[in-house]
């Protein structure tokens, strides 16, 4: 018998198909890459949230300083950061609002903490970090203005 030659149509079909083994190898490679790159990517997200919180605290400090220049003192703890957006009762020298938008929440969705008089300066302005609790390390650490 003579060897049969495959038709061009059947050879194209054989060359275009992937075997199950090839697909499994590709899936393992993709999984290894995701396992290596994923944690590095997600750790960067945590760092960017901390940087955003520091930038927001800095902006709030500047608005509080402008408030003090106009009114003569910082808002007390009871008035809080809301005094930057709405005139407190009895404040005739208030020239606000001192922020373009409402007072932001921290990057984790919690309100910034404000205390005046502060324990570390004229006022204390801080976020509890990702865990929402005092203290912590890394992403859970408090972000402060002192």
């Amino acid at each position: 018998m003579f060897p049969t030659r495959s038709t061009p149509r059947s050879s194209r079909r054989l060359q275009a198909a992937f075997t199950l083994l090839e697909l499994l190898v590709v899936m393992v490679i993709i999984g290894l890459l995701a396992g290596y790159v994923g944690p590095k990517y997600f750790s960067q997200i945590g760092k960017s949230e901390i940087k955003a919180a520091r930038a927001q605290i800095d902006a709030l400090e500047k608005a509080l300083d402008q408030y003090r220049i106009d009114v003569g003192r910082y808002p007390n703890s009871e008035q809080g950061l809301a005094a930057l957006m709405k005139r407190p009762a009895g404040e005739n020298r208030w020239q606000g609002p001192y922020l373009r938008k409402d007072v932001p929440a921290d990057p984790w969705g919690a309100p910034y903490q404000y205390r005046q008089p502060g324990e570390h300066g004229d006022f204390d302005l801080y976020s509890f970090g990702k865990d929402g609790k005092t203290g912590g390390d890394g992403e859970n650490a408090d972000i402060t203005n002192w």
Side-chain angles (χ1 to χ4, degrees), residues 80-129:
L81 297 175
L84 298 174
M85 294 303 296
K86 186 177 178 188
R87 179 190 307 267
E91 293 294 348
N92 297 331
R93 296 179 6 199
W94 189 85
Q95 300 293 317
Y98 296 95
L99 297 171
R100 291 184 184 173
K101 298 178 181 178
D102 286 338
V103 176
D106 71 13
W108 302 278
Y112 283 101
Q113 306 299 308
Y114 174 75
R115 183 174 41 221
Q116 199 283 327
E119 295 177 6
H120 304 278
D122 291 330
F123 61 88
D124 293 346
L125 182 60
Y126 55 98
S127 166
F128 288 126

Side-chain angles (χ1 to χ4, degrees), residues 61-84:
E61 280 184 301
K62 289 177 179 160
L64 286 163
D65 287 338
Q66 186 62 47
Y67 179 98
R68 183 187 55 80
I69 289 169
D70 289 346
V71 175
R73 61 175 180 75
Y74 291 108
N76 60 35
S77 295
E78 185 178 304
Q79 293 168 326
L81 297 175
L84 298 174

